[in-house]
C-alpha cells in the first residue's frame, strides 16, 4: 500500500517533538477528539532554522509531517509559505489515493505556524530584522 519512502518516514520520523521556545506554532485538527498535527518553527534572519512536530494520525499523516519538516527546514519564510500538499506528496514519491487527504494536514499546519510567527513579529521587536521596527513601519503607514 505504501512506498518505501512513506514507510521509512513513518517508521523513523524526522523532527518529532516540541520546540518550547518556538517563534510560531500551527495546529490542524483537534487533539481532544481526533487526528491532529502541531508544527513548531524557530526563525532566525527570516529562515526556518528548526521545525518540529507532534501528531496523532495514520502512517500517511506521520510520513507527511516528517518529510514536510525536512522540506521546510532551512527555507526562508517566503519559500516555506509556498510549500504545498502536492510538494509534500511528490517528495514522498506518492501516496495511495485514499490517503491523499492526510497530507493536507501538513502544509496547512506549517502555513499557520508561519502566520503565527508573522503576527507575533509585529509585537515582538526582538524578532525583527535590522532596520525594521514598529516605529518606522507605523510612521510609513501613516504617510499618505
Ligand atoms: Fe486520519 Fe490519515 S490522518 S486517516
Amino acid at each position: 500500500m505504501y512506498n518505501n519512502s512513506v514507510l521509512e518516514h513513518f517508521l523513523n520520523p524526522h523532527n518529532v517533538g516540541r520546540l518550547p521556545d518556538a517563534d510560531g506554532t500551527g495546529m490542524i485538527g483537534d487533539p481532544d477528539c481526533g487526528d491532529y498535527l502541531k508544527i513548531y518553527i524557530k526563525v532566525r534572519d527570516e529562515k526556518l532554522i528548526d521545525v518540529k512536530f507532534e501528531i496523532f494520525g495514520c502512517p500517511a499523516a506521520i510520513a507527511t509531517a516528517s518529510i514536510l519538516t525536512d522540506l521546510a527546514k532551512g527555507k526562508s519564510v517566503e519559500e516555506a509559505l509556498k510549500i504545498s500538499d502536492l510538494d509534500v506528496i511528490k517528495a514522498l514519491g506518492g501516496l495511495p489515493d485514499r490517503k491523499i487527504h492526510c497530507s493536507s494536514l501538513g502544509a496547512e499546519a506549517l502555513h499557520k505556524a508561519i502566520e503565527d510567527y508573522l503576527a507575533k513579529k509585529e509585537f515582538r521587536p526582538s524578532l525583527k530584522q535590522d532596520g525594521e521596527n514598529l516605529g518606522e513601519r507605523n510612521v510609513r503607514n501613516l504617510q499618505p
Side-chain angles (χ1 to χ4, degrees), residues 32-123:
D32 290 331
C33 61
D35 297 334
Y36 79 96
L37 169 62
K38 187 168 185 181
I39 300 272
Y40 299 80
I41 60 170
K42 191 85 198 145
V43 182
R44 282 294 170 274
D45 299 325
E46 293 306 301
K47 275 203 161 129
L48 275 63
I49 58 166
D50 205 359
V51 185
K52 291 205 178 295
F53 73 95
E54 295 176 305
I55 194 164
F56 186 85
C58 70
I62 293 168
T64 292
S66 173
I67 201 142
L68 169 79
T69 51
D70 280 350
L71 287 175
K73 242 186 200 182
K75 292 249 185 335
S76 69
V77 167
E78 206 172 310
E79 290 166 339
L81 271 173
K82 290 179 186 158
I83 296 174
S84 68
D85 297 341
L86 195 58
D87 295 330
V88 174
I89 294 168
K90 275 186 191 164
L92 278 175
L95 280 172
D97 283 350
R98 67 190 185 88
K99 289 292 179 181
I100 296 286
H101 72 279
C102 308
S103 69
S104 66
L105 292 173
E108 201 175 339
L110 173 67
H111 296 166
K112 279 191 166 191
I114 294 171
E115 285 161 15
D116 181 46
Y117 158 72
L118 292 172
K120 285 176 178 164
K121 192 171 114 168
E122 286 298 312
F123 299 100

